[in-house]
């Protein structure tokens, strides 16, 4: 389809959605345009499905998805050129505003909307990671680790994950209709090298006498989205009282000063405190229930990552490796989770013929990169998420009671399984645990979670 045809397609789509005034929010993912619609009665779903260049549509919770395919980027650019920032804020669901189900749906929709625009980049660097893992010294050994090209590809792909908070800060600010650059700042200040050095040094820190808990927030995606949401309200509140001539000088500065204690003394540390309780709980379970601790730690990994609490399993794993020379809560559960997620996404690909699921599956299975599949699909499909957690529980249960141990820090993809080879080799049991999770995940996803109503 020619570029001018994409403009015509975008124009037709917006008109059939009921016009720009009927769109409250829009974004895109790998193959779809995604819209929040104010009044469904004003749109014409059947007419949209009949447009040349549209391969189908579907409702996903409160989001209307239009399947465009691999050229979705071209269509999205034309949508942006027409709508720009003219859309108003997302209206609340008119039914059961305060119901638990609706609150969960709203949280999932918000989380997904803030993550989806980042997915193409994360998938891209994730695929690079897959290739580097396969051709590197730990698998096929086709290229040495000191190869200049490999070094560059490694640090560029690492940058995609390291600066994920910055990307999400921008997309969150855009979603909450606030200053995008300040949103980026909220993300990068949480991963500032200077702050990380202070954390690693164990220095006592405070802000105007308010103590700051030293912690790493590299994976704290949900806390960051909450921080940007608070920032958007702070920014709007201050903006109301500052004269127009002073807005550009005072509003950003005051917002930043107010958000520092909110981010570093409240929201961020809250995730750290919860992670610490999770860590203590896992250690207690391991002492009193054995394999059940690994099963619980593995099955809850999707939620732990969604809520930015993965520091618990990482901390325990590092402690155990340093003290005993092996660990059970960190690498193997991560491999179980990532590969099983890959299998579940592959089941979605086969069942629903969703082309975008295949790269998500590959990056999870071989690259050990869960974020695209987790935030791009599982967050908004609770049945599939529950099926995944059930599969992880039984795979982790077998791994826990059979004594699977990890003796080295490896990748979170399938090739990381070599880390279970050691003085008390348990790689056979490790593969059996994987097989249990894979089979359960495929069956539950394909026949239960995706069962047509």
């Amino acid at each position: 389809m020619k570029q001018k045809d994409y403009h015509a397609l975008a124009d037709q789509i917006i008109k059939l959605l009921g016009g720009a005034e009927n769109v409250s929010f829009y974004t895109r993912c790998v193959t779809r345009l995604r819209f929040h619609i104010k009044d469904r009665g004003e749109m014409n779903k059947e007419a949209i499905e009949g447009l040349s260049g549209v391969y189908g549509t579907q409702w996903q919770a409160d989001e209307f998805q239009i399947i465009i395919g691999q050229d979705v980027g071209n269509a999205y650019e034309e949508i942006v050129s027409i709508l720009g920032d003219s859309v108003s804020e997302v209206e609340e669901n008119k039914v059961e505003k305060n119901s638990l189900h609706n609150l969960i749906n709203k949280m999932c929709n918000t989380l997904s909307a803030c993550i989806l625009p980042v997915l193409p980049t994360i998938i891209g660097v994730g695929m690079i990671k897959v290739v580097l893992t396969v051709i590197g010294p730990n698998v096929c050994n086709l290229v040495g680790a000191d190869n200049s090209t490999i070094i560059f590809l490694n640090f560029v792909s690492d940058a995609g994950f390291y600066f994920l908070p910055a990307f999400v800060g921008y997309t969150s600010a855009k979603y909450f209709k606030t200053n995008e650059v300040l949103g980026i700042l909220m993300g990068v200040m949480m991963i500032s090298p200077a702050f990380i050095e202070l954390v690693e040094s164990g220095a006592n820190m405070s802000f105007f006498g308010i103590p700051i808990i030293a912690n790493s927030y590299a994976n704290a995606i949900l806390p960051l989205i909450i921080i940007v949401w608070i920032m958007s309200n702070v920014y709007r509140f201050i903006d109301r009282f500052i004269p127009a001539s002073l807005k550009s000088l005072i509003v950003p500065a005051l917002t930043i000063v107010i958000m520092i204690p909110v981010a570093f003394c409240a929201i961020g540390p809250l995730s750290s405190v919860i992670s610490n309780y999770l860590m203590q709980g896992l250690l207690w379970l391991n002492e009193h229930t054995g394999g059940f601790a690994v099963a619980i730690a593995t099955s809850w990994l999707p939620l732990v990552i969604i809520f930015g609490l993965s520091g618990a399993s990482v901390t325990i794993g590092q402690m155990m490796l340093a003290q005993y020379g092996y660990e059970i809560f960190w690498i193997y559960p991560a491999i179980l989770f990532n590969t099983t997620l890959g299998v579940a996404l592959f089941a979605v690909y086969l069942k629903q013929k969703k082309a975008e699921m295949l790269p998500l599956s590959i990056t999870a299975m071989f690259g050990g990169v869960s974020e695209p599949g987790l935030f791009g699909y599982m967050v908004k499909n609770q049945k599939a998420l529950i099926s995944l957690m059930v599969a992880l529980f039984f795979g982790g249960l077998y791994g826990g009671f059979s004594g699977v141990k990890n003796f080295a820090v490896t990748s979170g993809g399938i090739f990381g399984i070599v880390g279970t080879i050691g003085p008390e080799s348990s790689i056979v049991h490790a593969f059996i645990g994987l097989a249990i999770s894979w089979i359960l995940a495929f069956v539950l996803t394909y026949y239960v979670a995706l069962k047509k109503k």
Side-chain angles (χ1 to χ4, degrees), residues 118-253:
V118 182
L119 289 188
T121 299
I122 300 303
I123 293 171
V125 295
M127 291 301 292
I128 292 174
K129 279 290 186 186
V130 171
V131 175
L132 293 179
T133 301
V134 173
I135 68 175
N138 293 328
V139 183
C140 297
N141 198 26
L142 300 176
V143 184
D146 58 348
N147 181 279
S148 179
T149 301
I150 297 300
I151 292 172
F152 268 80
L153 286 173
N154 258 316
F155 84 68
V156 169
S157 57
D158 286 341
F161 295 104
Y162 181 83
F163 292 104
L164 181 59
F167 306 150
V168 175
Y170 170 79
T171 56
S172 300
K174 185 175 181 181
Y175 180 78
F176 295 123
K177 303 286 186 275
T178 191
N179 188 299
E180 289 95 343
V181 178
L182 280 180
I184 295 173
L185 177 63
M186 293 300 107
V188 296
M189 72 182 188
M190 308 293 283
I191 56 171
S192 167
F195 176 67
I196 292 175
E197 286 180 11
L198 288 172
V199 171
E200 292 176 347
S201 68
N204 292 322
M205 294 176 285
S206 64
F207 186 76
F208 287 121
I210 306 173
I212 294 175
I213 299 176
N215 190 41
S216 172
Y217 300 114
N219 299 312
I221 300 303
L222 181 59
L224 175 60
I225 293 174
I226 294 172
I227 288 169
V228 176
W229 172 70
I230 295 173
M231 184 207 79
S232 70
N233 288 283
V234 170
Y235 188 93
R236 277 191 285 269
F237 178 80
I238 297 173
D239 188 69
R240 287 164 51 191
F241 299 97
I242 303 299
S245 59
L246 298 175
K247 284 184 186 295
S248 62
L249 179 65
I250 296 179
V251 176

Side-chain angles (χ1 to χ4, degrees), residues 338-418:
N338 291 323
T339 58
T340 304
L341 173 63
V343 170
L345 294 169
F346 187 68
V348 178
Y349 166 72
L350 292 178
K351 181 83 170 185
Q352 298 186 340
K353 304 297 186 290
K354 291 184 175 182
E356 67 267 30
M357 292 297 110
L358 193 55
L360 301 184
S361 173
I362 292 172
T363 54
M365 172 68 78
F366 298 101
V369 181
S370 65
E371 285 85 354
L374 186 61
F375 291 105
Y377 184 80
M378 290 293 169
V379 162
K380 300 193 72 175
N381 295 270
Q382 285 91 19
K383 286 185 179 180
L385 180 60
I386 292 171
S387 297
L388 173 66
M389 293 175 66
V390 171
L392 290 172
F393 177 84
F394 286 102
L397 189 67
Y398 180 87
F401 278 106
S402 61
V404 174
K405 299 180 179 67
N406 205 83
F407 300 94
V409 178
T410 58
S411 74
I414 183 60
F415 300 114
I417 201 70
V418 296

Side-chain angles (χ1 to χ4, degrees), residues 308-325:
L309 305 174
S310 56
S313 57
V314 174
T315 301
I316 296 176
Q318 291 173 336
M319 288 168 50
M320 292 188 72
L321 269 175
Q323 186 171 352
Y324 304 113

